[in-house]
Amino acid sequence: MEERIIPKHIAIIMDGNGRWAKKRGLPRTAGHKQGAENIRKIAIACNDLGVKALTCYAFSTENWKRPESEVDYLCKLPRLFFNSYLAELKKNNIRVTFLGEIERFPKETQKVITTVVSETKNNTGLNLCFAINYGGRREILLAAKQYAKDVMNGENTLDIDEEEFGQYMMTKDMPEIDLMIRTSGEVRISNFLLWQLAYSELIFSPVAWPDFSKEYLLEAIDEFTHRNRRFGGL
């Protein structure tokens, strides 16, 4: 059997929580709760496989448009998730980080995020990164504004390349994304990591996120293993 090529960095659009719940006659929040439980399982699986980073699209800049009750629950979810699973993540040497404009969230949520990042910062296993209040276009705009400011202040020049501009991105300390998976059958990237996904392999699974098991993850990695990544060459 051909040896699996393990991606250094996997990004996941965790789609289908609401539809998963509706199919079972449950409120959408039940789907988000089950989806959060699945993050734990997939993160530990990735850590065991030797994946260096897993970035999960947990809350987009567009998600504020959802019903207030759902947004309120999503804002509380980090506290509920880490109350249940932080000890296990730490036991597995997993480091937790975040992308996005955290300051829009309630102070309590911000405090949870700051605490979790601090408590796991010295862990050397998987970097489990949550993208919250994150949008790809917004990230590029913020990067361009900071770059322009640095040029005006004499702290940078106009003569930089793509790699150097990439240092203005929120993922600057992370490996390039090898594989992006979107669950639940939608075939689009929905404003997720637009700069970073330029040469990533994309896999769209019909399985709703709460049902996306380690077996489906391994199937995606097996497909990734057989992809011919040419990066524009021959």
Side-chain angles (χ1 to χ4, degrees):
M1 181 178 175
E2 184 179 358
E3 186 177 353
R4 286 191 180 102
I5 298 173
I6 302 300
K8 288 190 177 75
H9 188 173
I10 298 175
I12 301 182
I13 300 177
M14 307 177 295
D15 198 14
N17 291 343
R19 277 164 283 173
W20 180 92
K22 184 178 179 181
K23 188 177 178 182
R24 289 159 177 76
L26 300 169
R28 289 178 60 86
T29 51
H32 293 308
K33 184 176 185 295
Q34 190 65 32
E37 155 72 13
N38 205 39
I39 294 172
R40 176 189 69 88
K41 294 177 183 176
I42 296 300
I44 291 171
C46 284
N47 190 50
D48 291 343
L49 288 165
V51 177
K52 301 299 182 188
L54 172 65
T55 298
C56 297
Y57 203 9
F59 192 100
S60 76
T61 49
E62 289 76 33
N63 285 159
W64 296 104
K65 301 172 187 174
R66 293 189 176 186
E68 186 177 349
S69 59
E70 185 174 351
V71 170
D72 286 346
Y73 182 80
L74 289 170
C75 287
K76 293 173 184 172
L77 200 50
R79 175 175 56 80
L80 299 173
F81 178 82
F82 290 115
N83 279 348
S84 297
Y85 305 128
L86 180 58
E88 187 175 11
L89 294 175
K90 288 165 72 173
K91 182 181 176 183
N92 281 275
N93 196 30
I94 292 173
R95 180 164 61 100
V96 180
T97 59
F98 290 83
L99 299 177
E101 297 174 272
I102 311 299
E103 56 275 8
R104 185 168 175 182
F105 286 95
K107 294 293 183 186
E108 183 184 4
T109 304
Q110 293 182 49
K111 184 178 179 182
V112 168
I113 289 168
T114 303
T115 300
V116 168
V117 169
S118 177
E119 287 192 19
T120 63
K121 66 182 180 182
N122 294 322
N123 291 351
T124 56
L126 175 78
N127 176 5
L128 172 58
C129 180
F130 292 90
I132 61 173
N133 195 28
Y134 171 86
R137 289 181 174 180
R138 175 72 176 163
E139 180 190 21
I140 294 169
L141 176 62
L142 291 174
K145 284 182 174 181
Q146 185 59 53
Y147 171 53
K149 190 180 294 183
D150 286 353
V151 171
M152 288 189 293
N153 292 338
E155 296 172 15
N156 211 332
T157 70
L158 289 173
D159 187 26
I160 68 170
D161 59 21
E162 292 174 11
E163 185 176 350
E164 291 169 310
F165 185 73
Q167 292 301 300
Y168 286 92
M169 296 295 162
M170 296 174 185
T171 54
K172 63 178 192 248
D173 298 321
M174 302 176 75
E176 293 285 333
I177 297 171
D178 294 312
L179 171 62
M180 193 284 292
I181 301 168
R182 179 170 188 152
T183 60
S184 202
E186 302 289 358
V187 187
R188 55 179 177 268
I189 58 175
S190 296
N191 200 21
F192 184 44
L193 298 167
L194 299 179
W195 175 273
Q196 296 86 345
L197 292 180
Y199 278 104
S200 306
E201 295 298 318
L202 311 181
I203 291 178
F204 299 94
S205 169
V207 179
W209 172 246
D211 290 331
F212 190 82
S213 63
K214 180 180 179 179
E215 288 67 35
Y216 289 117
L217 173 68
L218 291 173
E219 284 181 14
I221 292 175
D222 286 342
E223 183 174 339
F224 169 82
T225 296
H226 291 94
R227 297 275 178 97
N228 183 9
R229 306 186 75 202
R230 297 187 298 275
F231 300 97
L234 298 177

